[in-house]
Amino acid sequence: MARKIQPLVEEACDRMEYDGSFMFDEYPDQLLLRRLSRSIYEKLDKRTYQDDVMMQEVTGRNWLEDFVTVLLLNEMYQRRCRRRDRRFGPVF
């Protein structure tokens, strides 16, 4: 499932990877992160995850959107580390 969602996350991060982007702020804005993860979630084909979406209605927690947020934060972390290493060199 993560393999199907990851390209959407990478595409969103590619659009945000520029100087001055909130992705590289010391403390990224939570509202912007939620909006971005929500927009990625909206692009997903919900029919693929129909059984899982029905289960989340029982529990009341939208775990699929949370999963998208985790993938987004992980991708942002990796890009921030890569950018830091390019700017300051590897830290030993």
Side-chain angles (χ1 to χ4, degrees):
M1 178 176 13
R3 261 187 246 151
K4 294 177 184 176
I5 299 172
Q6 189 65 30
L8 296 173
V9 171
E10 289 174 358
E11 177 186 330
C13 286
D14 286 343
R15 283 185 272 134
M16 287 190 318
E17 198 165 9
Y18 58 88
D19 287 335
S21 172
F22 83 93
M23 182 167 71
F24 300 116
D25 288 347
E26 187 173 354
Y27 298 105
D29 186 25
Q30 286 185 3
L31 181 61
L32 291 175
L33 288 173
R34 287 183 187 156
R35 282 185 187 167
L36 185 59
S37 66
R38 174 63 100 174
S39 69
I40 295 169
Y41 173 76
E42 294 298 325
K43 291 179 184 178
L44 293 177
D45 182 19
K46 307 296 186 302
R47 289 176 284 151
T48 307
Y49 312 104
Q50 188 66 31
D51 295 334
D52 300 327
V53 171
M54 292 170 89
M55 185 59 156
Q56 83 185 17
E57 292 174 1
V58 174
T59 61
R61 182 81 180 156
N62 190 344
W63 71 268
L64 188 56
E65 188 173 348
D66 291 344
F67 185 66
V68 169
T69 304
V70 168
L71 289 175
L72 175 65
L73 292 173
N74 184 50
E75 184 67 25
M76 285 177 58
Y77 174 74
Q78 289 177 354
R79 289 174 186 239
R80 288 168 62 122
C81 288
R82 214 175 18 225
R83 179 184 169 111
R84 184 187 64 226
D85 288 346
R86 277 186 281 156
R87 294 179 82 195
F88 302 115
V91 178
F92 292 94

